[in-house]
């Protein structure tokens, strides 16, 4: 596959690539149980972004944001975190840099729960200043994968959880060399109310820096997840290109 990663391209190659869109992975560095790499959120989101760029013409892969807002994971080593306002500003500044380079269509791939709100705020602030900017996002791939796959794909919690069945599976598929499956654990919080969100610190719901059932994870499930997620993003971007990223439906 051709290389579309900005940090690996020369200026001449960027110019020759005729890039009219950019994709940005926004991750974190924090404990993912005893069995997954601390950079899992960054690695998954960035690898998915690269796979999307392999299939979408004119899509430039930006360097990933490797540290996000992770203060709620501070109970476990080795958490790195930016302040809430800081990560929001980082996302804003990167998008603004892309706009200044003449690319106004940007797709954001969120790899970490703590970055969902900062992405929303930064995007809204960009739109206030740059109304011609076009921003799309996959805010929670771990939820989307469970919605796209058949209901019997996962055995526990529909694959959800931090370093749970789903996230562990996609890690085992994308980068097995940085995983230790033999250390996987299972922690499924069973006192969380339905429909109501608890604003927890992670140490309140697990003692292993992991939730869900990572012992049920397999690379085969991860391959299925990767396929449906990449297909989903490719289809969305191609459909947006087809309508010029004009979201308005013509009414009668």
């Amino acid at each position: 596959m051709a290389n579309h990663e900005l940090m690996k391209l020369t200026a001449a190659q960027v110019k020759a690539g005729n890039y009219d869109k950019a994709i940005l992975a926004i991750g974190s560095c924090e404990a993912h149980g005893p069995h997954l790499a601390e950079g899992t959120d960054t690695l998954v989101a960035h690898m998915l972004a690269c796979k999307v760029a392999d299939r979408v013409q004119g899509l430039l892969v930006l360097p990933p944001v490797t540290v996000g807002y992770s203060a709620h994971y501070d109970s476990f080593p080795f958490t790195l975190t930016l302040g809430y306002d800081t990560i929001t500003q980082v996302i804003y500044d990167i998008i603004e840099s892309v706009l200044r380079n003449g690319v106004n269509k940007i797709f954001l791939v969120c790899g970490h729960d703590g970055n969902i709100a900062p992405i929303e705020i930064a995007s809204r602030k960009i739109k206030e200043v740059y109304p011609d900017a076009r921003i799309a996002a996959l805010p929670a791939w771990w939820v989307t994968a469970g919605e796209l796959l058949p209901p019997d794909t996962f055995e526990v919690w529909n694959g959800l959880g931090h370093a749970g069945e789903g996230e562990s599976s996609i890690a085992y598929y994308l980068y097995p060399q940085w995983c230790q499956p033999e250390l996987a654990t299972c922690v499924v919080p069973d006192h969380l109310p339905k429909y109501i969100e608890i604003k927890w610190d992670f140490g309140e719901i697990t003692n292993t820096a992991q939730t869900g059932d990572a012992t049920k994870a397999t690379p085969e499930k991860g391959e299925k997840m990767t396929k449906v997620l990449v297909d989903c993003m490719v289809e969305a971007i191609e459909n947006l290109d087809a309508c010029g990223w004009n979201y308005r439906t013509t009414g009668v």
Side-chain angles (χ1 to χ4, degrees):
M1 296 292 186
N3 171 38
H4 299 292
E5 293 185 69
L6 177 60
M7 60 185 174
K8 299 177 183 177
L9 296 171
T10 66
Q13 289 170 325
V14 173
K15 184 177 180 179
N18 294 316
Y19 295 106
D20 66 340
K21 298 177 289 292
I23 188 167
L24 172 67
I26 306 170
S28 70
C29 186
E30 67 201 16
H32 277 74
H35 64 295
L36 297 186
E38 300 258 330
T40 285
D41 292 341
T42 302
L43 292 165
V44 171
H46 186 64
M47 289 182 176
L48 290 175
C50 289
K51 289 180 180 295
V52 172
D54 285 340
R55 293 174 48 187
V56 174
Q57 185 175 0
L59 184 61
L60 181 65
V61 182
L62 303 175
V65 178
T66 58
V67 178
Y69 177 76
S70 298
H72 48 312
Y73 291 95
D74 256 345
S75 304
F76 301 96
F78 191 96
T79 298
L80 300 181
T81 188
L82 299 177
Y84 192 79
D85 291 339
T86 303
I87 183 59
T88 302
Q89 191 64 47
V90 167
I91 297 166
Y92 182 99
D93 287 349
I94 292 173
I95 295 174
E96 188 176 51
S97 294
V98 174
L99 296 172
R100 286 203 305 270
N101 278 277
V103 175
N104 78 328
K105 293 173 283 190
I106 302 159
F107 196 98
L108 307 176
V109 185
C110 180
H112 168 60
D113 65 332
N115 295 336
I116 295 174
I119 286 172
E120 177 70 13
I121 294 169
S123 299
R124 295 296 179 188
K125 289 172 68 68
I126 282 285
K127 292 290 289 184
E128 291 174 8
V129 182
Y130 303 95
D132 291 335
R134 295 293 182 262
I135 304 172
L138 181 66
W141 65 257
W142 51 97
V143 175
T144 304
E147 294 174 347
L148 292 173
L149 287 166
D152 60 349
T153 301
F154 301 111
E155 299 179 52
V156 178
W157 229 18
N158 199 30
L160 292 175
H162 181 82
E165 183 180 359
E167 189 171 30
S168 297
S169 292
I170 204 168
Y172 294 168
Y173 173 66
L174 291 174
Y175 45 92
Q177 68 273 32
W178 298 320
C179 303
Q180 293 184 279
E182 69 278 7
L183 301 180
T185 60
C186 172
V187 179
V188 180
D190 55 6
H191 294 153
L192 297 176
K194 293 180 66 175
Y195 311 116
I196 304 301
E197 291 188 1
I198 299 297
K199 302 306 181 184
W200 41 258
D201 178 88
F202 204 44
E204 294 176 317
I205 58 175
T206 178
N207 61 347
T208 69
Q210 180 271 323
T211 55
D213 192 349
T215 68
K216 304 295 185 182
T218 68
E220 290 76 22
K221 294 174 187 175
E223 182 177 14
K224 293 177 182 177
M225 296 172 71
T226 299
K227 182 180 186 305
V228 296
L229 289 167
V230 172
D231 286 349
C232 172
M233 287 185 278
V234 168
E235 180 181 7
I237 295 172
E238 289 179 342
N239 287 341
L240 287 168
D241 280 346
C243 68
W245 290 60
N246 180 4
Y247 321 125
R248 184 181 297 118
T249 299
T250 302
V252 177

